């Protein structure tokens, strides 16, 4: 798949084949894509906790408040992205420029790993709705959890949807 094909094929998967595990080798390829992602001052201010088995079930439960994300319990792997401190140069830049580079860096890493997962034939859903303190406790983390990614093989009847997006004119302007 080239990148355009990946972008067209990646979609948030909310129906997984719970009987199909993610192969270790494929998981490592996906994690390597995140490792290669760019970040402000190359600081990579994040950590990824790979949750499988009972840990995955517990993390999935922590994403379900108010009826949200019930599908997460079917995903065999949950990747928990937590925030780490800035490197000194990025901390300086963030302060002087009043910009939140860490969130951007985490978003880019997640974009890389979800794209690689698609290229590998797997499906993902990025979750921003979860109980931070509960997930930290399950994962033994002392820093804030920013995103969780469900990872697995989509159910056989989970077909590609038509993408709803802004029009190009809404999205882009030229000066
Ligand atoms: C930061 C972020 C948080 C998200 N949180 C959730 C979530 O908690 N639950 C969910 O089902 N989808 C969540 N999504 C998925 C979006 O709803 C989805 O990406 C968007 O509607 C576009 O659809 P697509 O991914 O299928 O192309 C999140 C996506 C992002 C980028």
């Amino acid at each position: 798949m080239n990148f355009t094909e990946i972008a067209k094929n990646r979609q948030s998967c909310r129906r997984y084949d719970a009987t199909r595990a993610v192969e270790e080798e494929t998981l490592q390829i996906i994690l390597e894509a995140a490792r290669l992602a760019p970040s402000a001052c190359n600081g990579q201010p994040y950590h990824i906790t790979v949750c499988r088995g009972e840990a995955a079930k517990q993390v999935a439960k922590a994403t379900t408040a108010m009826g949200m994300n019930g599908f997460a319990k079917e995903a065999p792997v949950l990747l928990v992205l937590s925030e780490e401190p800035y490197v000194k140069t990025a901390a300086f830049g963030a302060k002087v420029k009043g910009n939140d580079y860490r969130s951007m860096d985490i978003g880019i890493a997640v974009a890389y790993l979800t794209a690689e997962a698609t290229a590998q034939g797997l499906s993902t859903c990025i979750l921003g709705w979860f109980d931070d303190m509960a997930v930290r406790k399950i994962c033994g983390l002392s820093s804030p959890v920013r995103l969780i990614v469900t990872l697995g093989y989509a159910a056989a009847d989970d077909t590609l949807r038509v993408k709803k997006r802004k029009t190009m004119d809404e999205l882009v302007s030229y000066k």
Side-chain angles (χ1 to χ4, degrees), residues 1-10 114-116 118-120:
M1 271 191 203
N2 65 32
F3 188 76
T4 303
E5 290 166 335
I6 291 170
K8 286 182 175 167
N9 278 281
R10 189 220 53 83
T114 55
E116 184 62 72
T118 304
Q120 296 297 323

Side-chain angles (χ1 to χ4, degrees), residues 75-114:
V77 178
L78 274 80
L79 303 174
V80 172
L81 280 284
S82 53
E83 190 176 278
E84 299 253 299
Y86 277 126
V87 292
K88 280 200 179 89
T89 45
F92 178 75
K95 194 167 179 191
V96 171
K97 295 298 171 192
N99 218 334
D100 177 9
Y101 300 129
R102 275 188 296 203
S103 290
M104 297 179 204
D105 292 342
I106 290 169
I108 294 166
V110 164
Y112 268 52
L113 69 84
T114 55

Side-chain angles (χ1 to χ4, degrees), residues 7 10-14 63 68-69 71 110 124-130 146-148 161 163-165:
R10 189 220 53 83
Q11 66 179 3
S12 295
C13 176
R14 300 184 178 93
T63 71
M68 291 284 286
N69 299 329
F71 63 88
V110 164
T124 56
C125 188
I126 303 165
L127 307 181
W129 180 265
F130 50 82
R146 295 303 184 203
L147 287 175
I148 295 173
R161 301 182 295 272
K163 293 214 180 299
K164 291 182 204 153
R165 295 292 192 264

Side-chain angles (χ1 to χ4, degrees), residues 20-68:
R20 203 165 161 199
V22 177
E23 302 83 355
E24 185 58 35
E25 193 191 350
T26 313
L27 175 63
Q28 292 307 318
I29 292 169
I30 292 165
L31 294 171
E32 175 67 0
R35 199 178 72 84
L36 294 175
S39 57
C41 302
N42 205 17
Q44 297 178 277
Y46 39 73
H47 179 80
I48 304 173
T49 307
V50 178
C51 297
R52 294 175 281 200
E54 185 51 31
K57 296 287 171 235
Q58 286 180 22
V59 170
K61 196 164 175 232
T63 71
T64 56
M66 297 175 74
M68 291 284 286

